[in-house]
Amino acid sequence: MKQLLSAEHKTVILVNGIPASGKSTVTQALSQQFGLPSLTLDGIKEPFMAQFPAIDRQLNRQLGCAAYAAIWSVIAAAPANCIWLVDAWFGFQPREQLQVFLQQARVREVLEVWNQVSPELAVSRYARRLEQRKPGHPGEEYLPELAVLAQSARPMSIGPVYTFEQGEDGGDSGALFNWVTHHIASEALVG
């Protein structure tokens, strides 16, 4: 029976947070520390964005939804016993949609790293990166909306959540690494 359970075992670590909350930095640090593969919403979406001469907000959202579905399709096709890092702002889709994708991908364990960021820091980071953003992403007009989003956004809370407090210089990666190590080790013992 134990062998049967582990054959279907997949784990995902959701690296969640609003735009400019530090998700990419955290994902890279976790990938390097643990040797885990990562899928990022922008990494899948941006090559498609480059194929269009102009992208409005509606098309950007449609491409985001397609990239989101592609992430879970890749995870569904992956072999059992994989641990994936998934970098996205999960709040742009309903929680129920995430639950459907997790079920379809046969994910048994969900960990979440919530990147907590103040409205001021999120707006400041986003504004500094405007010149470096790929065409098609929202521009300066998005900053007031981002500030409001930073006040109300919450984690998906489908599994254990680690809140990573983002500051000007990032956060405490050591404590995050310990949390992930504990949960991965616990899951390995169960599986």
Side-chain angles (χ1 to χ4, degrees):
M1 180 67 142
K2 186 174 181 179
Q3 193 69 292
L4 198 61
L5 284 174
S6 66
E8 288 298 315
H9 178 229
K10 290 182 187 173
T11 298
V12 294
I13 302 172
L14 308 178
V15 183
N16 191 9
I18 65 167
S21 63
K23 296 182 303 295
S24 297
T25 302
V26 169
T27 300
Q28 289 171 0
L30 288 170
S31 182
Q32 289 175 1
Q33 178 71 21
F34 295 100
L36 299 175
S38 64
L39 293 166
T40 71
L41 195 70
D42 281 349
I44 292 174
K45 181 172 77 167
E46 287 177 351
F48 291 96
M49 290 171 63
Q51 300 303 311
F52 294 90
I55 297 179
D56 62 11
R57 189 82 181 267
Q58 179 62 29
L59 181 54
N60 182 309
R61 285 182 184 269
Q62 290 173 314
L63 290 171
C65 289
Y68 194 56
I71 284 171
W72 300 109
S73 179
V74 169
I75 292 172
N81 297 319
C82 284
I83 301 173
W84 287 90
L85 294 165
V86 182
D87 168 346
W89 159 227
F90 290 93
F92 89 104
Q93 290 289 295
R95 186 175 189 269
E96 295 75 22
Q97 181 62 62
L98 174 58
Q99 290 172 313
V100 168
F101 280 137
L102 290 167
Q103 183 179 20
Q104 290 173 345
R106 296 177 312 282
V107 172
R108 194 176 81 191
E109 179 72 14
V110 179
L111 305 175
E112 182 176 7
V113 178
W114 173 249
N115 289 275
Q116 182 69 45
V117 64
S118 71
E120 298 78 19
L121 183 55
V123 167
S124 170
R125 284 178 175 176
Y126 197 93
R128 284 194 308 258
R129 298 175 188 168
L130 282 173
E131 296 295 319
Q132 301 156 351
R133 299 284 284 170
K134 304 270 190 215
H137 287 286
E140 191 173 358
E141 76 285 351
Y142 180 63
L143 296 178
E145 184 181 336
L146 181 61
V148 171
L149 185 59
Q151 293 173 342
S152 62
R154 300 289 176 262
M156 300 308 277
S157 298
I158 291 174
V161 177
Y162 181 90
T163 300
F164 192 83
E165 295 288 341
Q166 287 281 342
E168 278 295 341
D169 57 352
D172 182 4
S173 295
L176 172 60
F177 294 162
N178 289 339
W179 183 83
V180 170
T181 299
H182 168 75
H183 283 282
I184 289 175
S186 296
E187 192 52 39
L189 293 174
V190 171

